[in-house]
Amino acid sequence: MKKTLFFVILFAVGAAIYFLQLPSAVEPVVDTVATQHGLPWQIELRDGSSRVFGITLGVSTLADATTVINRDFELAILAKHKQVGALEIFYRDFMAGQLQGKLILVVDVDDALLTSLIDGAASGEMLDNGTKKFQLAEQQLASVQQLLIRSITFAPTARLDREMIEQRFGVAPFTEAANESVNHYLYPELGLDILIDDNGKDLLEYVAPKKFGLP
């Protein structure tokens, strides 16, 4: 199979590695809103988009998302070397039913606005992995509230395996081995890439199906 084109997903995950490495709280609060809106495999399709965890990709705004998931979050721009970066909402301890994990929402921001936000950021720091992290200034927060959510990454605490995936999502139409320890299970009709990393974090990565494609 040819190399898969994941559109925004791989970029988002690359920038989000810092957040995924952060420790979880000792006693996470059960997220009743996430429970109400369903589990990772409960994906509602609508007009080329998809709804998961109460968020409709490409339709729900930053303000909508933080209202639906009504708990503490971190909002920051993460930029790897020679990349513009991504504006991300991070939930350290997210509960989807009884599944605990980390949740990252990537906000859809064009490069010009992102550069402007970085220029006016309240603070910036270089992280150990070489990623730059920028915290927005107070006056910038209002300007991003109506921006749309582009993608979602859920990193469950529980490990995944092929059998578990196929029980919940069915047999993946496409699979791809990135290397000896990382495998992708691809569901284009759901806009879903499930990444199993034997040496790292397992991830469920969602984009609107119309934004997911194969070469």
Side-chain angles (χ1 to χ4, degrees), residues 18-19 22 29 31 55 61-77 87-94 101-107 133-138 140-142 144-146 149:
Y18 163 75
F19 280 143
L22 293 177
V29 177
D31 191 334
I55 298 166
T61 64
L62 187 156
D64 294 333
T66 54
T67 298
V68 168
I69 306 175
N70 184 22
R71 59 186 307 172
D72 292 341
F73 62 90
E74 183 175 353
L75 178 67
I77 296 172
L87 178 61
E88 300 181 354
I89 309 168
F90 171 63
Y91 296 90
R92 184 187 299 265
D93 289 295
F94 179 77
K102 296 179 172 65
L103 189 73
I104 296 170
L105 313 180
V106 176
V107 182
K133 178 183 177 185
F134 300 92
Q135 299 283 2
L136 299 190
E138 188 69 27
Q140 293 178 311
L141 296 178
V144 300
Q145 294 302 308
Q146 297 307 308
I149 302 301

Short mmCIF file of all heavy atoms in Angstrom, two decimals, residues 18-19 22 29 31 55 61-77 87-94 101-107 133-138 140-142 144-146 149:
data_model
loop_
_atom_site.label_atom_id
_atom_site.label_comp_id
_atom_site.label_asym_id
_atom_site.label_seq_id
_atom_site.Cartn_x
_atom_site.Cartn_y
_atom_site.Cartn_z
N TYR A 18 4.21 16.72 23.44
CA TYR A 18 4.47 17.31 24.76
C TYR A 18 3.30 17.05 25.70
O TYR A 18 3.48 16.60 26.83
CB TYR A 18 4.71 18.81 24.64
CG TYR A 18 4.57 19.56 25.94
CD1 TYR A 18 5.56 19.48 26.92
CD2 TYR A 18 3.44 20.33 26.18
CE1 TYR A 18 5.43 20.17 28.12
CE2 TYR A 18 3.30 21.01 27.38
CZ TYR A 18 4.29 20.93 28.34
OH TYR A 18 4.14 21.60 29.53
N PHE A 19 2.08 17.34 25.25
CA PHE A 19 0.91 17.16 26.09
C PHE A 19 0.72 15.69 26.46
O PHE A 19 0.37 15.36 27.59
CB PHE A 19 -0.34 17.65 25.37
CG PHE A 19 -0.52 19.15 25.42
CD1 PHE A 19 -1.03 19.82 24.32
CD2 PHE A 19 -0.19 19.88 26.54
CE1 PHE A 19 -1.23 21.20 24.36
CE2 PHE A 19 -0.37 21.25 26.59
CZ PHE A 19 -0.90 21.91 25.49
N LEU A 22 2.67 14.44 29.51
CA LEU A 22 2.41 14.98 30.83
C LEU A 22 1.72 13.94 31.70
O LEU A 22 0.88 13.18 31.23
CB LEU A 22 1.52 16.22 30.74
CG LEU A 22 2.15 17.45 30.08
CD1 LEU A 22 1.12 18.56 30.00
CD2 LEU A 22 3.38 17.91 30.84
N VAL A 29 -11.38 13.32 37.89
CA VAL A 29 -12.81 13.51 38.11
C VAL A 29 -13.56 12.86 36.97
O VAL A 29 -13.22 13.06 35.81
CB VAL A 29 -13.15 15.01 38.19
CG1 VAL A 29 -14.65 15.21 38.35
CG2 VAL A 29 -12.39 15.67 39.33
N ASP A 31 -15.92 12.50 34.09
CA ASP A 31 -16.48 13.50 33.19
C ASP A 31 -17.86 13.05 32.74
O ASP A 31 -18.02 12.28 31.82
CB ASP A 31 -15.55 13.67 31.98
CG ASP A 31 -15.94 14.87 31.14
OD1 ASP A 31 -17.12 15.25 31.18
OD2 ASP A 31 -15.05 15.40 30.46
N ILE A 55 -18.59 16.71 20.07
CA ILE A 55 -17.97 17.75 19.24
C ILE A 55 -18.09 17.35 17.78
O ILE A 55 -17.71 16.23 17.40
CB ILE A 55 -16.49 17.94 19.62
CG1 ILE A 55 -16.39 18.40 21.08
CG2 ILE A 55 -15.79 18.91 18.68
CD1 ILE A 55 -15.01 18.30 21.65
N THR A 61 -17.19 25.08 17.56
CA THR A 61 -16.16 26.09 17.79
C THR A 61 -15.38 25.77 19.06
O THR A 61 -15.75 24.89 19.84
CB THR A 61 -16.78 27.49 17.95
OG1 THR A 61 -17.60 27.49 19.14
CG2 THR A 61 -17.62 27.85 16.74
N LEU A 62 -14.30 26.52 19.26
CA LEU A 62 -13.54 26.40 20.50
C LEU A 62 -14.45 26.65 21.69
O LEU A 62 -14.40 25.91 22.68
CB LEU A 62 -12.37 27.38 20.48
CG LEU A 62 -11.33 27.32 21.61
CD1 LEU A 62 -10.00 27.91 21.14
CD2 LEU A 62 -11.79 28.04 22.87
N ALA A 63 -15.29 27.68 21.60
CA ALA A 63 -16.22 27.98 22.68
C ALA A 63 -17.19 26.83 22.91
O ALA A 63 -17.49 26.46 24.06
CB ALA A 63 -16.97 29.27 22.39
N ASP A 64 -17.70 26.24 21.82
CA ASP A 64 -18.61 25.09 21.95
C ASP A 64 -17.93 23.93 22.67
O ASP A 64 -18.50 23.32 23.57
CB ASP A 64 -19.05 24.59 20.56
CG ASP A 64 -19.89 25.59 19.79
OD1 ASP A 64 -20.57 26.41 20.42
OD2 ASP A 64 -19.86 25.52 18.55
N ALA A 65 -16.71 23.63 22.25
CA ALA A 65 -16.00 22.47 22.78
C ALA A 65 -15.73 22.62 24.27
O ALA A 65 -15.91 21.67 25.05
CB ALA A 65 -14.69 22.27 22.03
N THR A 66 -15.29 23.80 24.69
CA THR A 66 -14.97 23.98 26.10
C THR A 66 -16.23 24.07 26.96
O THR A 66 -16.16 23.87 28.17
CB THR A 66 -14.10 25.23 26.30
OG1 THR A 66 -14.73 26.38 25.71
CG2 THR A 66 -12.72 25.03 25.68
N THR A 67 -17.37 24.34 26.32
CA THR A 67 -18.65 24.29 27.05
C THR A 67 -19.12 22.85 27.19
O THR A 67 -19.55 22.43 28.27
CB THR A 67 -19.72 25.11 26.31
OG1 THR A 67 -19.31 26.48 26.26
CG2 THR A 67 -21.06 25.03 27.03
N VAL A 68 -19.00 22.08 26.11
CA VAL A 68 -19.40 20.67 26.15
C VAL A 68 -18.55 19.89 27.14
O VAL A 68 -19.06 19.13 27.96
CB VAL A 68 -19.28 20.04 24.74
CG1 VAL A 68 -19.40 18.52 24.80
CG2 VAL A 68 -20.36 20.60 23.83
N ILE A 69 -17.23 20.10 27.08
CA ILE A 69 -16.33 19.43 28.02
C ILE A 69 -16.02 20.44 29.12
O ILE A 69 -15.02 21.16 29.08
CB ILE A 69 -15.05 18.96 27.32
CG1 ILE A 69 -15.41 18.10 26.10
CG2 ILE A 69 -14.17 18.16 28.28
CD1 ILE A 69 -14.23 17.69 25.26
N ASN A 70 -16.89 20.50 30.07
CA ASN A 70 -16.89 21.57 31.07
C ASN A 70 -15.95 21.23 32.23
O ASN A 70 -16.37 20.87 33.32
CB ASN A 70 -18.31 21.79 31.57
CG ASN A 70 -18.40 22.96 32.54
OD1 ASN A 70 -17.54 23.84 32.53
ND2 ASN A 70 -19.43 22.96 33.36
N ARG A 71 -14.65 21.37 31.94
CA ARG A 71 -13.65 21.13 32.98
C ARG A 71 -12.37 21.84 32.60
O ARG A 71 -12.26 22.43 31.52
CB ARG A 71 -13.42 19.63 33.18
CG ARG A 71 -12.96 18.90 31.95
CD ARG A 71 -12.89 17.41 32.19
NE ARG A 71 -12.10 17.09 33.36
CZ ARG A 71 -12.01 15.87 33.89
NH1 ARG A 71 -12.67 14.87 33.35
NH2 ARG A 71 -11.27 15.64 34.96
N ASP A 72 -11.40 21.82 33.49
CA ASP A 72 -10.15 22.55 33.27
C ASP A 72 -9.43 22.07 32.02
O ASP A 72 -9.38 20.87 31.74
CB ASP A 72 -9.23 22.41 34.48
CG ASP A 72 -9.79 23.13 35.71
OD1 ASP A 72 -10.66 24.01 35.54
OD2 ASP A 72 -9.35 22.80 36.83
N PHE A 73 -8.85 23.01 31.30
CA PHE A 73 -8.09 22.68 30.10
C PHE A 73 -6.91 23.64 30.00
O PHE A 73 -6.84 24.66 30.68
CB PHE A 73 -8.96 22.78 28.85
CG PHE A 73 -9.49 24.16 28.57
CD1 PHE A 73 -8.79 25.07 27.80
CD2 PHE A 73 -10.72 24.56 29.09
CE1 PHE A 73 -9.27 26.34 27.55
CE2 PHE A 73 -11.23 25.84 28.85
CZ PHE A 73 -10.50 26.73 28.08
N GLU A 74 -5.98 23.28 29.12
CA GLU A 74 -4.86 24.17 28.79
C GLU A 74 -4.95 24.50 27.31
O GLU A 74 -5.16 23.62 26.48
CB GLU A 74 -3.53 23.49 29.09
CG GLU A 74 -2.33 24.40 28.82
CD GLU A 74 -1.00 23.77 29.22
OE1 GLU A 74 -1.01 22.68 29.85
OE2 GLU A 74 0.04 24.37 28.90
N LEU A 75 -4.81 25.79 26.98
CA LEU A 75 -4.84 26.25 25.60
C LEU A 75 -3.48 26.84 25.27
O LEU A 75 -3.00 27.74 25.96
CB LEU A 75 -5.93 27.30 25.42
CG LEU A 75 -6.07 27.93 24.03
CD1 LEU A 75 -6.54 26.89 23.01
CD2 LEU A 75 -7.04 29.11 24.07
N ALA A 76 -2.84 26.31 24.23
CA ALA A 76 -1.50 26.79 23.87
C ALA A 76 -1.23 26.50 22.40
O ALA A 76 -1.88 25.66 21.78
CB ALA A 76 -0.44 26.11 24.74
N ILE A 77 -0.26 27.22 21.86
CA ILE A 77 0.26 26.94 20.53
C ILE A 77 1.53 26.14 20.68
O ILE A 77 2.43 26.53 21.43
CB ILE A 77 0.54 28.24 19.75
CG1 ILE A 77 -0.75 29.02 19.51
CG2 ILE A 77 1.23 27.93 18.42
CD1 ILE A 77 -0.53 30.40 18.94
N LEU A 87 -2.73 25.40 17.28
CA LEU A 87 -3.40 25.85 18.50
C LEU A 87 -4.19 24.67 19.05
O LEU A 87 -5.06 24.12 18.36
CB LEU A 87 -4.33 27.02 18.19
CG LEU A 87 -5.15 27.59 19.35
CD1 LEU A 87 -4.25 28.13 20.46
CD2 LEU A 87 -6.09 28.68 18.85
N GLU A 88 -3.91 24.28 20.29
CA GLU A 88 -4.47 23.05 20.84
C GLU A 88 -5.10 23.27 22.20
O GLU A 88 -4.59 24.03 23.03
CB GLU A 88 -3.37 21.99 20.95
CG GLU A 88 -2.72 21.66 19.61
CD GLU A 88 -1.66 20.58 19.72
OE1 GLU A 88 -1.34 20.17 20.84
OE2 GLU A 88 -1.16 20.16 18.66
N ILE A 89 -6.22 22.58 22.41
CA ILE A 89 -6.87 22.52 23.71
C ILE A 89 -6.54 21.16 24.31
O ILE A 89 -6.77 20.13 23.68
CB ILE A 89 -8.40 22.64 23.58
CG1 ILE A 89 -8.78 23.86 22.74
CG2 ILE A 89 -9.06 22.72 24.95
CD1 ILE A 89 -10.26 23.87 22.33
N PHE A 90 -6.01 21.17 25.53
CA PHE A 90 -5.55 19.92 26.14
C PHE A 90 -6.29 19.65 27.44
O PHE A 90 -6.37 20.51 28.31
CB PHE A 90 -4.05 19.99 26.41
CG PHE A 90 -3.51 18.84 27.22
CD1 PHE A 90 -3.56 17.56 26.73
CD2 PHE A 90 -2.95 19.05 28.47
CE1 PHE A 90 -3.07 16.49 27.47
CE2 PHE A 90 -2.45 18.00 29.22
CZ PHE A 90 -2.50 16.72 28.72
N TYR A 91 -6.85 18.43 27.55
CA TYR A 91 -7.47 17.94 28.77
C TYR A 91 -6.61 16.82 29.32
O TYR A 91 -6.51 15.75 28.72
CB TYR A 91 -8.90 17.44 28.49
CG TYR A 91 -9.84 18.54 28.02
CD1 TYR A 91 -9.97 18.83 26.67
CD2 TYR A 91 -10.58 19.29 28.94
CE1 TYR A 91 -10.82 19.83 26.24
CE2 TYR A 91 -11.43 20.30 28.52
CZ TYR A 91 -11.55 20.57 27.17
OH TYR A 91 -12.39 21.57 26.74
N ARG A 92 -6.04 17.06 30.47
CA ARG A 92 -5.09 16.10 31.03
C ARG A 92 -5.74 14.78 31.43
O ARG A 92 -5.17 13.71 31.23
CB ARG A 92 -4.40 16.72 32.26
CG ARG A 92 -3.32 15.87 32.88
CD ARG A 92 -2.83 16.49 34.19
NE ARG A 92 -2.25 17.80 33.95
CZ ARG A 92 -0.95 18.02 33.77
NH1 ARG A 92 -0.11 17.00 33.80
NH2 ARG A 92 -0.49 19.24 33.58
N ASP A 93 -6.93 14.85 32.00
CA ASP A 93 -7.63 13.64 32.45
C ASP A 93 -9.06 13.67 31.96
O ASP A 93 -9.94 14.25 32.58
CB ASP A 93 -7.60 13.53 33.98
CG ASP A 93 -6.21 13.20 34.49
OD1 ASP A 93 -5.73 12.10 34.19
OD2 ASP A 93 -5.62 14.04 35.17
N PHE A 94 -9.29 13.05 30.82
CA PHE A 94 -10.59 13.01 30.18
C PHE A 94 -11.18 11.63 30.39
O PHE A 94 -10.49 10.61 30.26
CB PHE A 94 -10.42 13.31 28.69
CG PHE A 94 -11.70 13.27 27.91
CD1 PHE A 94 -12.60 14.32 27.96
CD2 PHE A 94 -12.00 12.18 27.10
CE1 PHE A 94 -13.77 14.29 27.23
CE2 PHE A 94 -13.18 12.14 26.36
CZ PHE A 94 -14.07 13.20 26.43
N GLY A 101 -8.19 8.90 29.78
CA GLY A 101 -7.10 9.21 28.86
C GLY A 101 -6.87 10.70 28.76
O GLY A 101 -7.45 11.49 29.51
N LYS A 102 -6.02 11.08 27.83
CA LYS A 102 -5.76 12.48 27.53
C LYS A 102 -6.48 12.84 26.23
O LYS A 102 -6.55 12.03 25.32
CB LYS A 102 -4.26 12.74 27.42
CG LYS A 102 -3.49 12.51 28.72
CD LYS A 102 -2.00 12.76 28.50
CE LYS A 102 -1.24 12.73 29.82
NZ LYS A 102 -1.26 11.40 30.45
N LEU A 103 -6.99 14.07 26.16
CA LEU A 103 -7.73 14.51 24.99
C LEU A 103 -7.12 15.81 24.47
O LEU A 103 -6.86 16.73 25.24
CB LEU A 103 -9.20 14.74 25.33
CG LEU A 103 -10.12 15.01 24.14
CD1 LEU A 103 -10.35 13.72 23.35
CD2 LEU A 103 -11.46 15.57 24.61
N ILE A 104 -6.89 15.86 23.16
CA ILE A 104 -6.35 17.06 22.52
C ILE A 104 -7.26 17.45 21.37
O ILE A 104 -7.56 16.62 20.50
CB ILE A 104 -4.92 16.82 22.01
CG1 ILE A 104 -3.98 16.54 23.18
CG2 ILE A 104 -4.42 18.04 21.22
CD1 ILE A 104 -2.61 16.07 22.76
N LEU A 105 -7.69 18.69 21.36
CA LEU A 105 -8.48 19.24 20.27
C LEU A 105 -7.63 20.25 19.53
O LEU A 105 -7.08 21.18 20.14
CB LEU A 105 -9.74 19.94 20.80
CG LEU A 105 -10.57 19.19 21.84
CD1 LEU A 105 -11.78 20.04 22.25
CD2 LEU A 105 -11.02 17.84 21.32
N VAL A 106 -7.49 20.07 18.22
CA VAL A 106 -6.72 21.01 17.41
C VAL A 106 -7.69 22.00 16.77
O VAL A 106 -8.67 21.61 16.14
CB VAL A 106 -5.90 20.28 16.33
CG1 VAL A 106 -5.18 21.28 15.43
CG2 VAL A 106 -4.89 19.35 16.98
N VAL A 107 -7.39 23.28 16.96
CA VAL A 107 -8.24 24.34 16.44
C VAL A 107 -7.81 24.69 15.02
O VAL A 107 -6.61 24.72 14.71
CB VAL A 107 -8.15 25.58 17.36
CG1 VAL A 107 -9.07 26.69 16.87
CG2 VAL A 107 -8.50 25.19 18.81
N LYS A 133 6.46 26.28 22.87
CA LYS A 133 5.11 26.40 23.43
C LYS A 133 4.83 27.87 23.72
O LYS A 133 5.62 28.54 24.38
CB LYS A 133 5.01 25.57 24.72
CG LYS A 133 3.66 25.66 25.41
CD LYS A 133 3.70 24.88 26.71
CE LYS A 133 2.40 25.00 27.47
NZ LYS A 133 2.48 24.32 28.79
N PHE A 134 3.67 28.34 23.22
CA PHE A 134 3.28 29.74 23.41
C PHE A 134 1.94 29.81 24.13
O PHE A 134 0.97 29.18 23.71
CB PHE A 134 3.16 30.45 22.05
CG PHE A 134 4.43 30.45 21.25
CD1 PHE A 134 4.68 29.45 20.33
CD2 PHE A 134 5.37 31.46 21.41
CE1 PHE A 134 5.84 29.44 19.57
CE2 PHE A 134 6.54 31.46 20.66
CZ PHE A 134 6.78 30.45 19.75
N GLN A 135 1.88 30.58 25.22
CA GLN A 135 0.64 30.81 25.94
C GLN A 135 0.01 32.10 25.43
O GLN A 135 0.69 33.13 25.33
CB GLN A 135 0.91 30.93 27.45
CG GLN A 135 1.52 29.70 28.08
CD GLN A 135 0.50 28.59 28.29
OE1 GLN A 135 -0.66 28.72 27.95
NE2 GLN A 135 0.95 27.48 28.86
N LEU A 136 -1.28 32.08 25.11
CA LEU A 136 -1.95 33.26 24.58
C LEU A 136 -2.11 34.32 25.67
O LEU A 136 -2.29 34.00 26.85
CB LEU A 136 -3.32 32.89 24.03
CG LEU A 136 -3.38 31.89 22.88
CD1 LEU A 136 -4.79 31.85 22.31
CD2 LEU A 136 -2.38 32.23 21.78
N ALA A 137 -2.03 35.57 25.23
CA ALA A 137 -2.29 36.68 26.14
C ALA A 137 -3.79 36.78 26.40
O ALA A 137 -4.62 36.32 25.60
CB ALA A 137 -1.78 37.98 25.53
N GLU A 138 -4.15 37.39 27.51
CA GLU A 138 -5.56 37.49 27.91
C GLU A 138 -6.40 38.12 26.80
O GLU A 138 -7.51 37.65 26.51
CB GLU A 138 -5.67 38.31 29.19
CG GLU A 138 -7.06 38.33 29.80
CD GLU A 138 -7.48 36.99 30.37
OE1 GLU A 138 -6.58 36.21 30.78
OE2 GLU A 138 -8.69 36.73 30.40
N GLN A 140 -6.04 38.00 23.71
CA GLN A 140 -6.15 37.17 22.51
C GLN A 140 -7.24 36.11 22.61
O GLN A 140 -7.71 35.59 21.60
CB GLN A 140 -4.82 36.46 22.23
CG GLN A 140 -3.67 37.38 21.84
CD GLN A 140 -2.39 36.59 21.64
OE1 GLN A 140 -2.01 35.77 22.48
NE2 GLN A 140 -1.72 36.82 20.52
N LEU A 141 -7.65 35.80 23.82
CA LEU A 141 -8.56 34.68 24.03
C LEU A 141 -9.91 34.88 23.33
O LEU A 141 -10.47 33.96 22.75
CB LEU A 141 -8.77 34.44 25.52
CG LEU A 141 -7.51 34.02 26.29
CD1 LEU A 141 -7.81 33.85 27.77
CD2 LEU A 141 -6.93 32.73 25.72
N ALA A 142 -10.43 36.11 23.39
CA ALA A 142 -11.73 36.39 22.76
C ALA A 142 -11.68 36.18 21.24
O ALA A 142 -12.66 35.75 20.63
CB ALA A 142 -12.19 37.80 23.08
N VAL A 144 -10.22 33.95 19.51
CA VAL A 144 -10.14 32.56 19.04
C VAL A 144 -11.37 31.73 19.40
O VAL A 144 -11.47 30.57 19.00
CB VAL A 144 -8.87 31.86 19.57
CG1 VAL A 144 -7.63 32.59 19.11
CG2 VAL A 144 -8.89 31.74 21.09
N GLN A 145 -12.33 32.31 20.12
CA GLN A 145 -13.46 31.54 20.64
C GLN A 145 -14.34 30.95 19.54
O GLN A 145 -14.95 29.90 19.71
CB GLN A 145 -14.31 32.40 21.58
CG GLN A 145 -13.62 32.81 22.86
CD GLN A 145 -13.15 31.61 23.66
OE1 GLN A 145 -13.93 30.69 23.94
NE2 GLN A 145 -11.89 31.61 24.04
N GLN A 146 -14.43 31.61 18.39
CA GLN A 146 -15.31 31.14 17.32
C GLN A 146 -14.57 30.34 16.25
O GLN A 146 -15.17 29.97 15.23
CB GLN A 146 -16.06 32.32 16.69
CG GLN A 146 -16.99 33.03 17.66
CD GLN A 146 -17.96 32.07 18.35
OE1 GLN A 146 -18.65 31.29 17.68
NE2 GLN A 146 -18.00 32.11 19.67
N ILE A 149 -13.13 23.51 15.51
CA ILE A 149 -12.29 22.37 15.91
C ILE A 149 -12.01 21.53 14.67
O ILE A 149 -12.93 21.08 13.98
CB ILE A 149 -12.97 21.52 16.99
CG1 ILE A 149 -13.29 22.37 18.22
CG2 ILE A 149 -12.08 20.32 17.35
CD1 ILE A 149 -12.08 23.03 18.86
#
